Amino acid sequence: MRDSHSGIGSDSEGDWELSEAYGSSSGEVRWERLGDPAAPPVVLLHGTPFSSYVWRRAARELARDHRVYVWDMPGYGTSAKFDGQDVSLAAQGRVFAELLAHWDLAEPSVVAHDFGGAVALRAHLLHGAAYRRLALVDPVALAPWGSPFFRLVGEHHRVFEQLPPHLHRALVREYIASASSPGLDPAVLDRLVEPWLGEAGQPAFYRQIAQADQAYTDEIQGRYGSVEPPLTVCWGEDDQWIPVAKAHELVSLVPGAELVLVPGAGHLVQEDAPGALGAALARFLGAAGTGR
């Protein structure tokens, strides 16, 4: 059975397909929408090295009361991956602003995880994107960021691109697995690793790390006090990628922002505590009203 308003199946976690395409300035973007077209819109942004798949549970739950938009950023998931592609935070912020115009969404609510948090913030602060409400989940937003592994790969990405496929697969699996505190279901881990394999996927994995420059958050960090929409920050208390201290720091920079800490969850809160995160998002977005 498929969702009555989308191309995404609703009977299985593994049934997740983005049926729509948009030709962005950084290559084709795959996207999908769920829920009643008349419901208030909410857009979900994934982080790195993930895809819209991490939002599958939240998207289906939120679609009961919202029109939900999901997308794979250029260079991620099922979207285009090619040599010379610009997949930087600067490019993703521009593409997100393009998509909002393409979807004719003047003021949606936005939920953004990890790298997606910086994308949503850049689109708002630099490209004039207006949001009704903004929820950031373990976002990349404050310096310094990037683990020693992340920096090592970024500095030597051309070398890592030459790894034999089986070693590359093992590296990506271990890296993604470390985003979870209790551990990922093997089938879910396979699904998250798969886009980074093969002739297009392997170089794309190192390309996105090579272009992940902290300068793109330094550029906007001083402007967080001017974030206009109501803001909630959700954070896994056991996040080993971005320490929970950054959650408190970020909330202190945005007047009126609220903080929701999720016990027992690592960086991938969507996988580690989907119920707790879903409840927090439903409560926050439910206050957004019904207008666009």
Side-chain angles (χ1 to χ4, degrees):
M1 185 180 78
R2 305 190 77 80
D3 186 283
S4 60
H5 300 289
S6 80
I8 292 177
S10 57
D11 61 343
S12 168
E13 280 201 0
D15 190 5
W16 185 259
E17 179 183 352
L18 308 184
S19 67
E20 302 287 345
Y22 168 70
S24 83
S25 56
S26 280
E28 183 183 81
V29 168
R30 304 297 299 184
W31 64 275
E32 191 56 85
R33 56 192 157 202
L34 305 79
D36 185 346
V42 57
V43 185
L44 307 181
L45 284 73
H46 67 81
T48 180
F50 311 112
S51 69
S52 62
Y53 179 72
V54 300
W55 285 121
R56 64 198 180 282
R57 295 190 189 100
R60 287 164 175 150
E61 288 297 317
L62 290 172
R64 296 177 179 179
D65 300 300
H66 297 80
R67 182 62 155 168
V68 180
Y69 292 75
V70 293
W71 59 297
D72 286 350
M73 295 183 194
Y76 293 79
T78 56
S79 289
K81 304 179 184 72
F82 54 86
D83 187 43
Q85 185 177 23
D86 187 354
V87 295
S88 67
L89 278 169
Q92 305 292 2
R94 290 193 301 269
V95 169
F96 185 44
E98 291 174 26
L99 271 175
L100 292 176
H102 176 67
W103 293 331
D104 193 27
L105 296 181
E107 196 179 11
S109 293
V110 170
V111 180
H113 175 241
D114 180 80
F115 181 96
V119 173
L121 288 166
R122 287 184 64 89
H124 175 61
L125 295 170
L126 301 181
H127 302 293
Y131 310 142
R132 186 172 298 277
R133 287 182 169 254
L134 176 60
L136 300 178
V137 182
D138 296 68
V140 172
L142 298 171
W145 52 268
S147 66
F149 166 80
F150 199 86
R151 291 193 295 271
L152 176 67
V153 172
E155 292 168 3
H156 304 284
H157 62 100
R158 294 297 183 191
V159 176
F160 280 91
E161 285 177 21
Q162 304 305 312
L163 283 175
H166 69 286
L167 292 180
H168 165 74
R169 179 194 292 266
L171 182 151
V172 176
R173 284 184 68 86
E174 288 301 314
Y175 178 53
I176 291 178
S178 70
S180 170
S181 179
L184 294 172
D185 179 277
V188 170
L189 181 56
D190 286 343
R191 186 68 182 261
L192 294 175
V193 169
E194 193 275 334
W196 302 119
L197 306 179
E199 291 184 6
Q202 183 163 339
F205 177 78
Y206 300 109
R207 184 182 305 120
Q208 52 92 17
I209 294 179
Q211 295 183 29
D213 193 327
Q214 184 180 293
Y216 296 123
T217 54
D218 290 345
E219 184 179 3
I220 58 172
Q221 184 169 329
R223 301 174 62 177
Y224 291 163
S226 64
V227 168
E228 294 181 358
L231 174 69
T232 190
V233 176
C234 302
W235 214 284
E237 286 188 336
D238 298 337
D239 191 335
Q240 299 300 306
W241 283 21
I242 311 177
V244 72
K246 289 295 182 184
H248 297 279
E249 182 181 351
L250 179 58
V251 167
S252 74
L253 296 176
V254 184
E258 68 169 14
L259 175 61
V260 177
L261 297 180
V262 184
H267 188 68
L268 263 181
V269 186
Q270 302 97 318
E271 301 297 335
D272 292 356
L277 179 61
L281 293 177
R283 177 189 57 78
F284 179 68
L285 299 175
T290 58
R292 176 176 293 186

Short mmCIF file of all heavy atoms in Angstrom, two decimals, residues 135-158:
data_model
loop_
_atom_site.label_atom_id
_atom_site.label_comp_id
_atom_site.label_asym_id
_atom_site.label_seq_id
_atom_site.Cartn_x
_atom_site.Cartn_y
_atom_site.Cartn_z
N ALA A 135 12.95 23.70 13.76
CA ALA A 135 13.45 22.72 14.73
C ALA A 135 14.79 22.21 14.23
O ALA A 135 14.89 21.71 13.10
CB ALA A 135 12.47 21.57 14.89
N LEU A 136 15.82 22.33 15.05
CA LEU A 136 17.15 21.85 14.71
C LEU A 136 17.48 20.64 15.58
O LEU A 136 17.35 20.70 16.81
CB LEU A 136 18.18 22.95 14.94
CG LEU A 136 17.98 24.24 14.12
CD1 LEU A 136 19.05 25.28 14.50
CD2 LEU A 136 18.01 23.95 12.63
N VAL A 137 17.91 19.56 14.94
CA VAL A 137 18.19 18.30 15.64
C VAL A 137 19.68 18.01 15.53
O VAL A 137 20.19 17.75 14.44
CB VAL A 137 17.36 17.15 15.05
CG1 VAL A 137 17.62 15.85 15.82
CG2 VAL A 137 15.87 17.49 15.04
N ASP A 138 20.39 18.09 16.65
CA ASP A 138 21.84 17.88 16.68
C ASP A 138 22.51 18.56 15.48
O ASP A 138 23.22 17.92 14.70
CB ASP A 138 22.17 16.38 16.70
CG ASP A 138 21.67 15.69 17.95
OD1 ASP A 138 20.44 15.57 18.13
OD2 ASP A 138 22.50 15.25 18.76
N PRO A 139 22.31 19.87 15.32
CA PRO A 139 22.78 20.54 14.09
C PRO A 139 24.28 20.84 14.09
O PRO A 139 24.91 21.02 15.13
CB PRO A 139 21.99 21.84 14.09
CG PRO A 139 21.83 22.16 15.55
CD PRO A 139 21.59 20.81 16.20
N VAL A 140 24.83 20.90 12.89
CA VAL A 140 26.14 21.49 12.66
C VAL A 140 25.91 22.99 12.58
O VAL A 140 25.30 23.47 11.62
CB VAL A 140 26.76 20.96 11.35
CG1 VAL A 140 28.03 21.73 11.01
CG2 VAL A 140 27.04 19.47 11.45
N ALA A 141 26.35 23.72 13.58
CA ALA A 141 26.05 25.16 13.61
C ALA A 141 27.14 26.00 14.26
O ALA A 141 27.25 27.18 13.96
CB ALA A 141 24.72 25.39 14.35
N LEU A 142 27.91 25.39 15.16
CA LEU A 142 28.86 26.17 15.95
C LEU A 142 30.28 25.61 15.81
O LEU A 142 30.50 24.41 15.84
CB LEU A 142 28.46 26.13 17.43
CG LEU A 142 27.10 26.72 17.79
CD1 LEU A 142 26.76 26.41 19.24
CD2 LEU A 142 27.10 28.23 17.56
N ALA A 143 31.23 26.52 15.67
CA ALA A 143 32.64 26.13 15.64
C ALA A 143 33.10 25.74 17.04
O ALA A 143 32.60 26.28 18.03
CB ALA A 143 33.47 27.29 15.11
N PRO A 144 34.07 24.84 17.14
CA PRO A 144 34.63 24.06 16.04
C PRO A 144 33.80 22.81 15.79
O PRO A 144 33.12 22.32 16.67
CB PRO A 144 36.02 23.68 16.57
CG PRO A 144 35.82 23.54 18.05
CD PRO A 144 34.78 24.58 18.42
N TRP A 145 33.81 22.31 14.55
CA TRP A 145 33.14 21.06 14.26
C TRP A 145 34.00 20.23 13.32
O TRP A 145 34.91 20.74 12.69
CB TRP A 145 31.73 21.27 13.69
CG TRP A 145 31.58 22.18 12.51
CD1 TRP A 145 31.31 23.52 12.54
CD2 TRP A 145 31.65 21.83 11.12
NE1 TRP A 145 31.20 24.02 11.26
CE2 TRP A 145 31.41 23.01 10.37
CE3 TRP A 145 31.88 20.63 10.44
CZ2 TRP A 145 31.40 23.02 8.97
CZ3 TRP A 145 31.87 20.65 9.05
CH2 TRP A 145 31.63 21.83 8.34
N GLY A 146 33.68 18.95 13.28
CA GLY A 146 34.50 18.03 12.49
C GLY A 146 35.40 17.20 13.37
O GLY A 146 36.31 17.73 14.03
N SER A 147 35.16 15.89 13.42
CA SER A 147 35.97 14.99 14.23
C SER A 147 37.37 14.86 13.63
O SER A 147 37.60 15.22 12.47
CB SER A 147 35.31 13.61 14.27
OG SER A 147 35.34 13.02 12.97
N PRO A 148 38.34 14.32 14.40
CA PRO A 148 39.67 14.07 13.83
C PRO A 148 39.60 13.21 12.56
O PRO A 148 40.32 13.47 11.60
CB PRO A 148 40.40 13.35 14.97
CG PRO A 148 39.76 13.89 16.20
CD PRO A 148 38.31 14.05 15.85
N PHE A 149 38.73 12.20 12.57
CA PHE A 149 38.55 11.36 11.37
C PHE A 149 38.07 12.21 10.20
O PHE A 149 38.58 12.10 9.07
CB PHE A 149 37.56 10.24 11.66
CG PHE A 149 37.05 9.55 10.42
CD1 PHE A 149 37.83 8.57 9.80
CD2 PHE A 149 35.82 9.87 9.86
CE1 PHE A 149 37.37 7.94 8.65
CE2 PHE A 149 35.37 9.25 8.71
CZ PHE A 149 36.15 8.28 8.10
N PHE A 150 37.07 13.03 10.44
CA PHE A 150 36.48 13.87 9.40
C PHE A 150 37.55 14.80 8.80
O PHE A 150 37.64 14.95 7.58
CB PHE A 150 35.34 14.69 10.02
CG PHE A 150 34.37 15.26 9.04
CD1 PHE A 150 33.29 14.51 8.60
CD2 PHE A 150 34.50 16.56 8.58
CE1 PHE A 150 32.36 15.03 7.70
CE2 PHE A 150 33.58 17.09 7.69
CZ PHE A 150 32.52 16.33 7.25
N ARG A 151 38.36 15.39 9.67
CA ARG A 151 39.41 16.29 9.17
C ARG A 151 40.49 15.53 8.41
O ARG A 151 40.99 16.01 7.38
CB ARG A 151 40.02 17.06 10.35
CG ARG A 151 39.07 18.07 10.98
CD ARG A 151 39.79 19.01 11.92
NE ARG A 151 40.34 18.33 13.08
CZ ARG A 151 39.67 18.15 14.22
NH1 ARG A 151 38.42 18.59 14.33
NH2 ARG A 151 40.22 17.53 15.23
N LEU A 152 40.85 14.34 8.88
CA LEU A 152 41.85 13.53 8.20
C LEU A 152 41.40 13.18 6.79
O LEU A 152 42.16 13.32 5.82
CB LEU A 152 42.12 12.25 9.00
CG LEU A 152 43.09 11.25 8.35
CD1 LEU A 152 44.50 11.83 8.30
CD2 LEU A 152 43.08 9.93 9.12
N VAL A 153 40.15 12.74 6.68
CA VAL A 153 39.63 12.38 5.36
C VAL A 153 39.56 13.60 4.46
O VAL A 153 39.90 13.55 3.27
CB VAL A 153 38.24 11.72 5.49
CG1 VAL A 153 37.60 11.54 4.11
CG2 VAL A 153 38.36 10.38 6.19
N GLY A 154 39.13 14.73 5.02
CA GLY A 154 39.04 15.95 4.22
C GLY A 154 40.38 16.38 3.65
O GLY A 154 40.46 16.82 2.50
N GLU A 155 41.43 16.21 4.43
CA GLU A 155 42.76 16.64 4.00
C GLU A 155 43.37 15.67 2.99
O GLU A 155 44.26 16.04 2.22
CB GLU A 155 43.68 16.76 5.22
CG GLU A 155 43.30 17.91 6.14
CD GLU A 155 44.02 17.84 7.48
OE1 GLU A 155 44.85 16.90 7.65
OE2 GLU A 155 43.74 18.68 8.36
N HIS A 156 42.92 14.41 3.00
CA HIS A 156 43.52 13.39 2.13
C HIS A 156 42.44 12.65 1.33
O HIS A 156 42.57 11.45 1.07
CB HIS A 156 44.31 12.40 3.00
CG HIS A 156 45.36 13.04 3.84
ND1 HIS A 156 46.56 13.50 3.34
CD2 HIS A 156 45.38 13.33 5.18
CE1 HIS A 156 47.28 14.03 4.32
NE2 HIS A 156 46.59 13.93 5.44
N HIS A 157 41.41 13.37 0.91
CA HIS A 157 40.28 12.70 0.27
C HIS A 157 40.68 11.99 -1.03
O HIS A 157 40.11 10.95 -1.37
CB HIS A 157 39.14 13.71 0.01
CG HIS A 157 39.51 14.83 -0.90
ND1 HIS A 157 39.16 14.85 -2.24
CD2 HIS A 157 40.19 15.98 -0.67
CE1 HIS A 157 39.60 15.96 -2.78
NE2 HIS A 157 40.23 16.67 -1.86
N ARG A 158 41.66 12.52 -1.75
CA ARG A 158 42.06 11.86 -2.99
C ARG A 158 42.68 10.49 -2.73
O ARG A 158 42.54 9.57 -3.53
CB ARG A 158 43.06 12.75 -3.75
CG ARG A 158 42.48 14.05 -4.28
CD ARG A 158 41.38 13.80 -5.29
NE ARG A 158 40.87 15.03 -5.86
CZ ARG A 158 39.79 15.13 -6.61
NH1 ARG A 158 39.10 14.04 -6.88
NH2 ARG A 158 39.38 16.29 -7.08
#
